[in-house]
Amino acid sequence: MTSIGGAEMVDWNLAVATATRLVRPGPEVTRDEAREIVAELRRHAKSSELHVRGYTRMIPEGHRPQDTPVLIVDRAGWVKANVAGFRELLKPLFEKMQERRSATPGGAVLGAVGGKVTGVELGMLLSFMASRVLGQYETFAPAGGDLPSAGTGGGRLLLVAPNIVHVERELDVDPHDFRLWVALHEETHRTQFTGVPWLRDHLRGEIQSFLDETDVDPMTVLERLREAAQSLSGGRPEGEEDEKGRSIVELVQTPGQREVLGRLTAVMSLLEGHADYVMDGVGPQVVPTVAEIREKFQQRRARGASRLDQALRKLLGLDAKLRQYRDGERFVRAVVEEVGMDGFNRVWTSPNTLPTKAEIAKPADWIARVHRKADS
């Protein structure tokens, strides 16, 4: 990344160091237990490939899509992987913000300090999130670096072992079934991107369009980040709420961004809802206690956590992600019930067949546009 006066907008190394220092330790397990958990998660990730591909029929028989690595990581490993992805994906935005800052008197000097402050604040937020993510298909993993990824920078599947163990104990469910259940969800995401060659570039293009439209003072974004970090550290008075209730993403919207964000919301709802639908569809065949797991997990989602947790979810836009699971799953279920799995799979034909945000809420409109128009 280019720098102004030798300083970046974010000290990424400091962000990693802060997050790994602050992240809470995972549940206690012996060394032998840890080895067994890692080995089992690897087996589940492998077996999930066959289950998901057979159920979704997204990948033609005999076709071998690009292989992407499966990494079983701890919380610090999740932080390192995501910082690398963030740094690559947000590079255009930070370059634009730095250009604006360089035009401000004293901007370079402030940047040297600001990069470190922001690094600490980002690290605090990553430490919070690192204890909550069960798994992730990291779509924009950069090639090279400390962690392996697909040779072309395609992606990698992460399963966060300590978090999976923590939740399975919290829910008091069968640990072997729960681990496979989580692997099915994340494997669906990997199948989506390896089975639909244009999807990754399309999503990257939409995100870059969103960032290109950003026209906001850098200090406004950094202040928003600071508010979230202060919530974690207790710097915000208890009970004080954000007056407008806006997330960081919502803060930087221009009219052009709102259009892009609508499309991004629709595709993310599709991807998350599809993963939930597949997880539940495959589950009864291979996860004996899937009904119990699903019920307890849904209760956990709905219940949320502490007031602080809920405030941070709002600020970071994580509450919107929970809605995406629900709305997207309803869309997929309604379409499959009407036109079958192969009919639903027309959604992956091209960017033009992706549902709009309005169609996510009204699946019949997508069916009318994509199916009846094509079949007439």
Side-chain angles (χ1 to χ4, degrees), residues 123-353:
M124 293 173 69
L125 295 179
L126 287 170
S127 71
F128 166 80
M129 297 177 70
S131 63
R132 285 157 174 76
V133 176
L134 300 181
Q136 170 186 359
Y137 183 72
E138 197 186 2
T139 314
F140 303 110
D146 296 334
L147 296 172
S149 64
T152 58
R156 55 194 172 206
L157 191 152
L158 309 178
L159 293 173
V160 190
N163 295 349
I164 293 172
V165 173
H166 171 78
V167 174
E168 70 192 25
R169 291 179 179 179
E170 178 188 326
L171 297 181
D172 190 25
V173 294
D174 182 282
H176 308 294
D177 284 2
F178 185 75
R179 293 165 196 172
L180 177 54
W181 189 71
V182 172
L184 289 169
H185 181 100
E186 302 309 328
E187 176 57 37
T188 302
H189 286 315
R190 182 162 68 157
T191 298
Q192 289 164 348
F193 284 94
T194 57
V196 184
W198 53 264
L199 184 57
R200 178 177 178 270
D201 288 341
H202 172 72
L203 195 57
R204 178 187 282 276
E206 291 283 56
I207 292 171
Q208 292 305 326
S209 295
F210 182 86
L211 297 179
D212 288 343
E213 285 282 343
T214 298
D215 185 20
V216 65
D217 178 67
M219 292 309 297
T220 306
V221 176
L222 300 184
E223 180 59 31
R224 203 68 179 163
L225 201 60
R226 187 163 294 117
E227 288 178 19
Q230 287 174 347
S231 295
L232 279 175
S233 63
R236 175 182 291 188
E238 185 174 349
E240 181 180 326
E241 301 290 341
D242 174 48
E243 291 181 0
K244 297 184 179 180
R246 294 182 300 179
S247 71
I248 290 174
V249 171
E250 292 171 324
L251 178 70
V252 296
Q253 283 186 62
T254 64
Q257 281 180 309
R258 280 193 286 274
E259 292 184 15
V260 178
L261 190 61
R263 296 195 298 270
L264 279 171
T265 298
V267 71
M268 294 309 297
S269 295
L270 171 69
L271 298 179
E272 296 293 359
H274 182 237
D276 262 13
Y277 178 82
V278 172
M279 182 170 60
D280 287 346
V282 174
Q285 306 169 33
V286 296
V287 183
T289 60
V290 65
E292 177 192 0
I293 291 173
R294 184 62 160 158
E295 180 181 0
K296 289 184 174 181
F297 196 76
Q298 287 288 65
Q299 289 173 354
R300 183 178 185 269
R301 273 184 184 170
R303 186 170 60 246
S306 65
R307 187 175 182 181
L308 169 62
D309 205 34
Q310 292 171 353
L312 280 166
R313 285 179 180 180
K314 173 63 180 176
L315 191 61
L316 298 173
L318 299 182
D319 56 341
K321 185 175 179 66
L322 295 179
R323 289 196 298 272
Q324 288 169 2
Y325 285 111
R326 182 184 65 243
D327 297 344
E329 195 274 342
R330 280 202 296 254
F331 171 84
V332 176
R333 186 172 301 279
V335 173
V336 172
E337 288 177 354
E338 181 70 21
V339 297
M341 183 63 75
D342 292 332
F344 166 78
N345 281 339
R346 287 196 188 182
V347 79
W348 313 117
T349 304
S350 75
N352 292 331
T353 56

